Amino acid sequence: GQSLEQPSEVTAVEGAIVQINCTYQTSGFYGLSWYQQHDGGAPTFLSYNALDGLEETGRFSSFLSRSDSYGYLLLQELQMKDSASYFCAVPGGSQGNLIFGKGTKLSVKP
Amino acid sequence: DVKVTQSSRYLVKRTGEKVFLECVQDMDHENMFWYRQDPGLGLRLIYFSYDVKMKEKGDIPEGYSVSREKKERFSLILESASTNQTSMYLCASSLLPSGGAGNEQFFGPGTRLTVL
């Protein structure tokens, strides 16, 4: 089967850098995605890594190591609005469904 | 922009009632999904559909059924609602049928269902 592990909660201060880790076990691997969800809101797509290495999009970066079955989301210059839950996800099969981790709740303090 | 809409933001039903949750997407996406989200459990896939009239069970299909008669619409049906189905229900859609850069899922705002 497929499973993903990520920390349940992370706390950081404004302006800091935080890293949210995700380890996965899959029968086949097509890439690692990250989604953000604010309280009361819908999940929104942040990034996708199919190959090893770092992908940067503004203040957010995502890293993948396929040999280690590991990835992380890096948030720099944290802002209060980054307080949200962050989910990693892998494709569940060839039909396009995703398997999500249980989410990491990030709290950014002043 | 892709838009995924769900018929209700909040819904209160009684045990044993039949409940319909509707989801519509406006970007001609092939795939549509229904998840439920509960605290500490993340998003769990109930059913998904990769084409009209096609459906696949997800991780927790028991107590649910789905219908996809038109490409843009995917309905979740609770045949006989129970209190353990009280949850947030999220619908999503995606363009491509397989894993890859295009498998980004677009989510609706969710329906918070309470079963009394």
Side-chain angles (χ1 to χ4, degrees):
Chain A
Q2 284 138 315
S3 65
L4 299 100
E5 294 288 332
Q6 52 182 129
S8 58
E9 294 184 34
V10 173
T11 301
V13 297
E14 248 184 322
I17 299 172
V18 73
Q19 179 174 310
I20 299 173
N21 299 320
C22 175
T23 57
Y24 58 86
Q25 289 184 323
T26 59
S27 52
F29 183 73
Y30 302 96
L32 184 70
S33 299
W34 288 92
Y35 285 75
Q36 178 193 58
Q37 184 181 30
H38 287 99
D39 281 349
T44 56
F45 174 82
L46 286 177
S47 67
Y48 172 78
N49 293 65
L51 302 175
D52 290 353
L54 193 68
E55 297 271 349
E56 298 183 49
T57 308
R59 294 187 297 113
F60 292 8
S61 303
S62 55
F63 172 82
L64 177 65
S65 169
R66 287 175 296 171
S67 60
D68 296 320
S69 298
Y70 163 75
Y72 64 73
L73 181 69
L74 190 73
L75 297 83
Q76 302 183 76
E77 301 172 24
L78 279 174
Q79 301 175 10
M80 298 297 290
K81 67 178 181 179
D82 298 329
S83 292
S85 291
Y86 294 84
F87 296 87
C88 55
V90 294
S94 62
Q95 299 295 349
N97 59 303
L98 289 174
I99 308 295
F100 285 85
K102 293 182 179 179
T104 299
K105 186 174 178 64
L106 171 64
S107 299
V108 180
K109 306 293 186 186
Chain B
D1 281 350
V2 175
K3 192 169 182 181
V4 180
T5 57
Q6 296 184 226
S7 48
S8 305
R9 283 286 275 157
Y10 300 93
L11 206 54
V12 180
K13 295 292 181 181
R14 297 207 174 273
T15 302
E17 280 193 82
K18 191 168 186 175
V19 182
F20 293 87
L21 302 183
E22 304 284 342
C23 175
V24 177
Q25 49 93 5
D26 66 357
M27 282 301 290
D28 203 35
H29 280 177
E30 302 289 336
N31 295 347
M32 296 188 76
F33 310 86
W34 275 106
Y35 297 90
R36 64 176 284 176
Q37 185 173 27
D38 302 286
L41 297 179
L43 286 84
R44 293 181 292 166
L45 182 65
I46 304 171
Y47 268 98
F48 67 101
S49 169
Y50 52 90
D51 201 352
V52 175
K53 296 192 185 295
M54 304 302 289
K55 60 184 179 184
E56 292 285 340
K57 292 180 179 179
D59 298 318
I60 52 166
E62 296 79 19
Y64 304 94
S65 62
V66 290
S67 172
R68 193 166 181 202
E69 296 297 318
K70 294 184 178 181
K71 192 174 186 180
E72 68 271 18
R73 187 180 298 269
F74 192 36
S75 302
L76 179 70
I77 302 152
L78 287 66
E79 296 290 341
S80 177
S82 63
T83 54
N84 63 11
Q85 293 179 308
T86 292
S87 187
M88 171 68 84
Y89 289 88
L90 290 160
C91 175
S93 71
S94 69
L95 177 61
L96 298 179
S98 61
N103 75 342
E104 173 187 349
Q105 292 192 7
F106 296 85
F107 284 83
T111 296
R112 184 164 295 282
L113 173 66
T114 302
V115 182
L116 301 176

